[in-house]
Amino acid sequence: MIKTLITTALLTASAASATADPLPAPPTVKYNAPASQACETQTLQVYFPAGTSALTPAAKTMLAEAKSTLEGCMIGPAALQVVAADAASLGEAGHLAEARIVSVSTALDQYQLSQGPVARNIRTVEPARYTAPNDRRVEIRLSAWTPEIG
């Protein structure tokens, strides 16, 4: 009797699988995975007009482009290095450097380009009569990486 029941169950299961929907056809076009975004550390240079600490429109545009480039990336803390050799004295250079750091830090928060504390480094440079744009800048290092799931 058990043999009859097992045989009947097997025949019923095989009949059900024979009438099931067939498997879909294999793909005809090669699969191309979507391009992964390169999330890597960015180094940006923000230049200031002599004696000022306000961001220029070019600097704001650069920060907006960096935000769009890093869209979808994990963004970590930023590191700032400031040079302010365009001041009249060393004391004034320190105040100008601090004002530039505050200006850039505020912009990083506004563009959501920094998570966590911002590392600050002020390079002491002897003020000069004539300074090149390199002597009145803030270098920004934004750490970024690709998010990983699992």
Side-chain angles (χ1 to χ4, degrees):
M1 174 96 166
I2 299 233
K3 287 184 182 179
T4 308
L5 288 174
I6 292 174
T7 306
T8 307
L10 288 174
L11 288 175
T12 306
S14 64
S17 66
T19 60
D21 292 332
L23 295 174
T28 58
V29 179
K30 180 181 174 186
Y31 173 76
N32 291 321
S36 63
Q37 185 171 0
C39 297
E40 51 193 34
T41 299
Q42 304 280 320
T43 302
L44 309 172
Q45 304 283 337
V46 176
Y47 296 99
F48 294 88
T52 66
S53 62
L55 292 179
T56 63
K60 292 176 184 177
T61 301
M62 179 187 60
L63 291 173
E65 288 175 3
K67 178 170 175 49
S68 67
T69 300
L70 296 175
E71 194 69 37
C73 298
M74 299 291 295
I75 298 175
L80 304 178
Q81 181 176 2
V82 62
V83 178
D86 54 322
S89 67
L90 273 177
E92 189 179 314
H95 293 298
L96 186 58
E98 188 61 37
R100 288 177 178 168
I101 282 182
V102 169
S103 179
V104 171
S105 296
T106 303
L108 290 177
D109 288 341
Q110 178 185 356
Y111 289 99
Q112 299 171 347
L113 287 173
S114 178
Q115 301 295 324
V118 176
R120 302 169 176 208
N121 181 17
I122 298 176
R123 275 188 49 206
T124 305
V125 177
E126 189 68 35
R129 286 188 165 171
Y130 172 77
T131 59
N134 269 355
D135 293 338
R136 51 181 197 257
R137 74 179 189 282
V138 174
E139 179 179 288
I140 307 167
R141 289 189 49 86
L142 298 173
S143 56
W145 58 92
T146 305
E148 295 180 16
I149 299 173

